[in-house]
Amino acid sequence: LLCFRTSLVAPLILGLLLQSPLAELSIVTQPNIVLLMADDLGIGDVGCYGNDTIRTPNIDRLAKEGVKLTQHVAAAPLCTPSRAAFLTGRYPLRSGMDAINNYRVIFWTGGSGGLPPNETTFAKILQQQGYSTGLIGKWHQGVNCESRNDHCHHPLNHGFDYFYGMPFTLISDCQPTETPEMDRVFRRRLWVYTQTIGLVTLTAALGRLTGLISVRWKMLTCLAGFSLLFFIAWFSSYGFVRYWNCIMMRNHEVTEQPMVTDRTTSLILRESISFIERNKHKPFLLFLSFLHSHTPLLTTEKFLGRSSHGLYGDNVEEMDWMVGQVLDAIDKEGLKNTTLVYFASDHGGWLERQEGKRQLGGWNGIYRGGKAMGGWEGGIRVPGIFRWPGVLPEGTVIDEPTSLMDIYPTVVHLAGGVLPQDRVIDGRDLMPLLQGTVEHSEHEFLFHYCGIHLHAVRWHQKDSGAIWKAHYVTPVFHPPGAGACYDRGFCPCFGEGVTHHDPPLLFDLSQDPSEAKPLSADTEPLFDTVIRKIGRAIEDHRRTLTPVPEQLSLYNVVWKPWLQPCCGMFPFCWCDKEGDN
C-alpha cells in the first residue's frame, strides 16, 4: 500500500516542480484589482498604440509587462452610458442608461436619473466576496432619486465602501477662466429669449408713458413679472453651474462646493495611494476614474508646456505620470504580483472640442470618427491593457474583439463571485483569452448604439478571421468630409443630422480598420450572406431586450433644486472642507 501511494505521489511532486512560474501563479485567488479609466482619451494619444509625440512611458510600461488589446471597444460613445455598461457588464439600454433624446448623459448633479439601484455592479459582488472597494475620481451615474440625501444612485449604494471624487463630470464651467461648455447653444438661446422679452416689456412701458401705445399698467406688470420669472427659472440653474455641478464628495459628504480645481489632481492621487496603503492586507478593488483628459484639462504647473500638443498633450502626460505613481505605490507595498491592473478609456477622443485654434480633444489614430459617434470606430475603439505579472504573459498583443463590458465577468470570476442569473450579462470573461488558453474572443456579435438607436453591428467570423461591420446609420459630417460634426459640437443619433443606409455600409475591419472603403455586392461576393447573418443577429438580440424606466428622460435630466447636493442651507451652498483641513 505504501509503495502504491509513493507511486502516485512521486509523479505529482515531479509535475509540480516542472510547472512554469506562470502556471504556479495562475492559482492565486482573489487578486487585488486596480482599474484605471481615462476620460475622453483617444486611442491615438497613447505611445503603445502608435503615438510618438505624446510621452506615456508608464502606460506603455503596462503594455510591455502585460497584454495589449487592439480591438477593445466601449459599449457607448459617451461617458454616462459607457460607464454604466462598464459597471454592470450590460448594454446601457438594458438599465435605461441610454437616451431617446439629445440629452445623452447625466446633465445635473441635481437630476433624478442615474444607475438604477436594482442594477448589480461588479463592485457590489466583490464587496460581498470580502473585498474593500473604492472609487476615486469621476462617477457621472447620478446621485439622488426623490430627496436631497437619499443617494440612491450614489457609489456607496452600488457596492463601493469608499468614494472620493466628483459625483458629476469635469466640464469647462468648473474653471472660471474658461468659456462655459454645458448646454452652450441652449444657454445662448435662453439669453436671447430673455433679452427679447425684456425689450418687449420695456418698449411697451415707454409706449404707455409717451401715449404711443394703449396698454394697461396691469398688463405691463404681468409682462414684467413674466420676464423676471422666466429669467429666474433658467438662471437659477445655468447661472450657477459651477456651484451645482462642480463639487467634490467624500462618501456621502460634500467637501468642496465649488471644487478648487488647483488641487484636484493632487487630492485624487493622494486618495488613490492612501486607499492602497490602507487596504494592503486584504483583497481590494480600486477604481481610479481619472478626470483627465476631459476639458477643461486641469493640469498642474509642473506639466504645462511640456508636450508638443499644447494643453491637451500636457494633460495626457500628467495622467500618465499619475498612472506611474499608482504603479509605484503597488510596488512599494509588495503587491505587484498579486494585483491585476487594467487601463482603458471610457470612449474615443472628442474631435469637435476646440477653442479658436486650440484643439482640446483627443486623437483617435487611424480610426474614423470620435466621441458621441455610436458606430464609427474612433468613437468606441479604446486602449485596453492588462498587467498581472506571472499570470498574464508579458508583451502580448491580442487582436480580437473585446468590450469594456468584459471587465465585469472577468473581475467577478477572479474574486470567486457568481454572475447574476436573473438578467442578461453581455460581457465575457477575458481570462482565457488573456492567458492564451483560447485563441478567439467569445464575442461573435457586438452591437453599437448611439442613444437607444442601433447604428452599427460587428460580426467576428472566427473561421475566416474576417471582422465584418455593418453601418445602418451614420452621422452627417460638417463641413462635408471633415470627419466630425464641427457645426454642432456633437454628432447626433437621429433626425436630420444622420443618414440611414439600406443596404447598410459594410466594411471588413480585418482589412480596412479605418473604414475607408465600403464594400458592395459587386465588390464582395459574401455581401448578401453577411448582411443576412447580421440581420438575424439583430433580431435575436432585440428579443433579449425588455422595457425599463428611462433614466435619461427629459424629466430625469433637468435640474431639480430639491435634489441638489448642498453642504450648507440650500441655496447657500458653499464650503471648502479640504482647505479647512
Side-chain angles (χ1 to χ4, degrees):
L1 182 62
L2 181 60
C3 292
F4 176 71
R5 286 178 179 171
T6 304
S7 67
L8 286 177
V9 172
L12 179 61
I13 293 174
L14 182 63
L16 289 171
L17 289 172
L18 292 176
Q19 273 190 325
S20 67
L22 188 71
E24 284 181 43
L25 283 172
S26 65
I27 60 172
V28 172
T29 58
Q30 290 200 318
N32 306 309
I33 297 168
V34 176
L35 308 176
L36 308 172
M37 179 169 284
D39 197 2
D40 284 20
L41 180 74
I43 192 171
D45 294 325
V46 183
C48 59
Y49 284 91
N51 192 304
D52 57 4
T53 54
I54 296 179
R55 291 163 295 191
T56 57
N58 295 293
I59 299 171
D60 299 346
R61 172 160 59 106
L62 275 178
K64 185 179 179 181
E65 296 176 353
V67 179
K68 181 178 76 171
L69 305 175
T70 62
Q71 290 195 60
H72 202 41
V73 296
L78 283 173
C79 308
T80 295
S82 173
R83 289 162 182 267
F86 175 72
L87 288 161
T88 64
R90 293 151 51 81
Y91 287 107
L93 79 166
R94 295 195 191 277
S95 57
M97 293 293 279
D98 246 340
I100 61 171
N101 51 50
N102 286 320
Y103 291 94
R104 295 158 57 190
V105 297
I106 299 291
F107 239 70
W108 296 96
T109 309
S112 54
L115 190 63
N118 63 354
E119 285 294 324
T120 304
T121 66
F122 56 70
K124 189 170 287 186
I125 297 179
L126 266 63
Q127 188 182 55
Q128 294 166 354
Q129 293 301 114
Y131 273 69
S132 295
T133 55
L135 168 61
I136 313 294
K138 170 175 173 171
W139 175 237
H140 210 190
Q141 299 293 303
V143 180
N144 296 314
C145 289
E146 297 177 352
S147 67
R148 181 166 291 124
N149 296 310
D150 67 29
H151 291 180
C152 66
H153 304 305
H154 190 279
L156 268 60
N157 200 41
H158 278 295
F160 291 100
D161 299 315
Y162 184 77
F163 169 61
Y164 177 79
M166 287 191 77
F168 191 59
T169 182
L170 199 59
I171 50 177
S172 291
D173 303 68
C174 299
Q175 191 84 313
T177 57
E178 292 290 323
T179 304
E181 171 186 335
M182 186 171 154
D183 237 353
R184 188 183 301 185
V185 175
F186 183 55
R187 209 186 303 196
R188 287 198 198 111
R189 201 176 300 155
L190 289 171
W191 267 117
V192 171
Y193 293 159
T194 302
Q195 292 167 346
T196 302
I197 296 170
L199 186 61
V200 169
T201 303
L202 183 60
T203 302
L206 289 174
R208 175 69 173 81
L209 289 170
T210 58
L212 295 176
I213 299 177
S214 177
V215 60
R216 294 181 179 179
W217 283 113
K218 185 177 181 180
M219 178 65 73
L220 284 174
T221 304
C222 290
L223 190 57
F226 174 76
S227 303
L228 182 62
L229 287 173
F230 178 76
F231 174 73
I232 292 173
W234 72 264
F235 194 77
S236 61
S237 56
Y238 285 104
F240 299 90
V241 169
R242 186 163 162 256
Y243 286 84
W244 303 150
N245 280 345
C246 304
I247 67 175
M248 298 291 285
M249 296 182 75
R250 177 175 283 103
N251 295 327
H252 292 296
E253 180 185 26
V254 177
T255 58
E256 296 179 30
Q257 191 168 13
M259 64 193 292
V260 182
T261 54
D262 291 344
R263 62 177 178 231
T264 303
T265 296
S266 61
L267 287 175
I268 284 178
L269 182 58
R270 185 188 74 184
E271 289 283 345
S272 301
I273 293 174
S274 175
F275 183 84
I276 293 170
E277 292 171 346
R278 291 196 310 270
N279 295 285
K280 61 186 176 183
H281 296 302
K282 63 178 295 190
F284 66 81
L285 163 71
L286 171 61
F287 178 18
L288 172 48
S289 178
F290 291 104
L291 302 183
H292 297 60
S293 49
H294 199 293
T295 50
L297 301 173
L298 299 182
T299 308
T300 58
E301 190 173 348
K302 175 182 174 183
F303 285 88
L304 289 175
R306 285 185 38 160
S307 82
S308 57
H309 284 279
L311 183 60
Y312 181 83
D314 298 344
N315 193 254
V316 173
E317 291 192 4
E318 181 174 56
M319 179 187 65
D320 177 80
W321 171 77
M322 294 174 72
V323 170
Q325 294 296 298
V326 172
L327 296 181
D328 288 348
I330 292 170
D331 291 351
K332 178 185 173 185
E333 301 299 338
L335 302 173
K336 183 174 180 178
N337 292 337
T338 55
T339 302
L340 173 70
V341 179
Y342 166 76
F343 177 85
S345 178
D346 55 355
H347 50 70
W350 190 358
L351 302 180
E352 296 94 342
R353 190 65 179 97
Q354 301 172 331
E355 290 292 348
K357 294 184 178 180
R358 291 196 306 162
Q359 176 63 33
L360 301 179
W363 182 52
N364 300 311
I366 65 171
Y367 304 109
R368 192 173 183 180
K371 176 179 178 176
M373 304 181 206
W376 294 121
E377 287 293 283
I380 54 178
R381 194 181 290 219
V382 297
I385 303 170
F386 289 85
R387 187 193 76 174
W388 187 0
V391 178
L392 301 183
E394 292 186 5
T396 303
V397 178
I398 294 178
D399 191 25
E400 288 282 310
T402 57
S403 169
L404 263 67
M405 296 184 293
D406 297 337
I407 304 309
Y408 186 99
T410 303
V411 299
V412 167
H413 164 74
L414 289 173
V418 178
L419 295 177
Q421 301 299 306
D422 60 345
R423 64 200 65 193
V424 176
I425 301 296
D426 298 297
R428 299 291 182 265
D429 183 2
L430 287 177
M431 284 305 291
L433 183 67
L434 296 175
Q435 291 185 294
T437 58
V438 300
E439 184 179 354
H440 294 297
S441 160
E442 286 189 45
H443 291 290
E444 184 177 11
F445 296 95
L446 285 169
F447 303 91
H448 306 305
Y449 283 89
C450 186
I452 64 166
H453 307 276
L454 184 65
H455 274 205
V457 180
R458 80 177 65 207
W459 171 34
H460 185 201
Q461 191 178 5
K462 299 177 186 179
D463 56 349
S464 71
I467 299 172
W468 306 101
K469 188 172 172 195
H471 288 261
Y472 295 88
V473 184
T474 57
V476 177
F477 293 147
H478 187 86
C485 304
Y486 291 100
D487 58 330
R488 297 170 179 262
F490 271 121
C491 284
C493 296
F494 61 93
E496 296 178 355
V498 302
T499 300
H500 294 263
H501 302 281
D502 187 13
L505 300 178
L506 183 66
F507 301 91
D508 179 1
L509 297 181
S510 66
Q511 304 297 319
D512 180 21
S514 301
E515 299 173 290
K517 300 173 183 177
L519 304 170
S520 67
D522 297 329
T523 60
E524 175 51 64
L526 295 175
F527 183 89
D528 291 331
T529 302
V530 171
I531 295 304
R532 283 197 299 270
K533 178 80 172 179
I534 292 176
R536 288 195 293 271
I538 293 172
E539 292 174 6
D540 292 342
H541 167 67
R542 284 179 170 157
R543 280 194 286 270
T544 70
L545 303 177
T546 54
V548 292
E550 297 164 10
Q551 297 298 322
L552 301 181
S553 66
L554 188 59
Y555 173 79
N556 278 332
V557 299
V558 298
W559 182 66
K560 301 174 180 66
W562 60 93
L563 297 184
Q564 176 61 50
C566 180
C567 59
M569 181 66 72
F570 186 85
F572 305 106
C573 303
W574 183 91
C575 65
D576 181 9
K577 297 176 183 178
E578 296 295 343
D580 295 341
N581 291 333

